[in-house]
Amino acid sequence: AILTEARHMRLTLESLARMSRPQGDQVAAISVTELLSDLEQLHRSEFVQRSIDFRVQIAPALPRILGNAQQVRQAVLYCLQYAMDAVEKLDTAHEKSVRLEAVAEKGHVQILVAHSGAKFTVPARAFDPFVPEPSGEESTSLGLSMCASILRENNGKASAVNFEPRGAGILLELQAA
């Protein structure tokens, strides 16, 4: 019964995500370099205000990707917001940092949003709408769930990774145009 309800909830959330996004944008060749540079400029002050070290590294000559520019921008923004929230929970003894990286890899563009916060309890379930956090409290990671839906709609995929000794990241992979 719980699994059935969870699947029903996921379908409902994906439906809401599709309805909340404007349908006017068409699929086009998107410059990842421009998209990420714009996000950096728009949100750098928020990182500074929260005392988070924000580093951006974009490989030169990245190919364009095919997709809906507004949706891809929103997916990256969900990941950045998740990363900011994850590092804000750290105590003052740990460095608060977020990295945004992009590279081309075998016909794909990979965008990594990594943070120095807590690891994913179960990386395979990071994109489920409601996932328990390491602290035991339940997180409403709707942003990551919507991110995964957006990537699927744009012929991409999202995955979660943990780093040693601490930290985690969200890897977005999209097809090059």
Side-chain angles (χ1 to χ4, degrees), residues 11-172:
L11 291 173
T12 302
L13 290 170
E14 287 178 349
S15 175
L16 287 171
R18 278 192 297 279
M19 288 186 337
S20 70
R21 287 191 291 275
Q23 299 299 318
D25 283 348
Q26 298 295 335
V27 172
I30 306 165
S31 168
V32 175
T33 304
E34 288 177 20
L35 185 139
L36 297 181
S37 296
D38 288 349
L39 282 172
E40 176 189 13
Q41 287 178 345
L42 287 171
H43 297 283
R44 179 156 299 277
S45 62
E46 188 175 356
F47 284 95
V48 170
Q49 182 181 13
R50 294 180 177 198
S51 301
I52 300 171
D53 179 29
F54 182 47
R55 294 180 224 137
V56 178
Q57 185 175 352
I58 302 170
L62 277 180
R64 292 179 175 268
I65 58 169
L66 282 177
N68 179 309
Q70 189 61 34
Q71 289 179 0
V72 173
R73 176 184 303 273
Q74 190 65 46
V76 175
L77 195 53
Y78 285 138
C79 295
L80 286 173
Q81 186 63 53
Y82 184 86
M84 279 191 274
D85 292 346
V87 298
E88 276 197 324
K89 296 174 184 174
L90 292 173
D91 57 31
T92 55
H94 293 95
E95 178 191 5
K96 297 178 180 183
S97 67
V98 173
R99 292 187 340 255
L100 176 61
E101 300 174 359
V103 297
E105 184 76 32
K106 298 178 184 173
H108 290 87
V109 173
Q110 295 179 338
I111 301 169
L112 175 69
V113 180
H115 62 80
S116 61
K119 295 180 180 187
F120 291 106
T121 307
V122 181
R125 295 200 51 221
F127 301 98
D128 289 353
F130 300 96
V131 180
E133 292 194 1
S135 62
E137 61 190 52
E138 191 174 89
S139 165
T140 57
S141 54
L142 293 175
L144 290 185
S145 178
M146 290 176 68
C147 171
S149 295
I150 290 169
L151 269 281
R152 281 192 299 274
E153 289 177 18
N154 286 276
N155 296 318
K157 65 180 182 175
S159 55
V161 294
N162 286 329
F163 300 119
E164 292 299 331
R166 69 177 295 113
I170 302 154
L171 183 64
L172 309 177

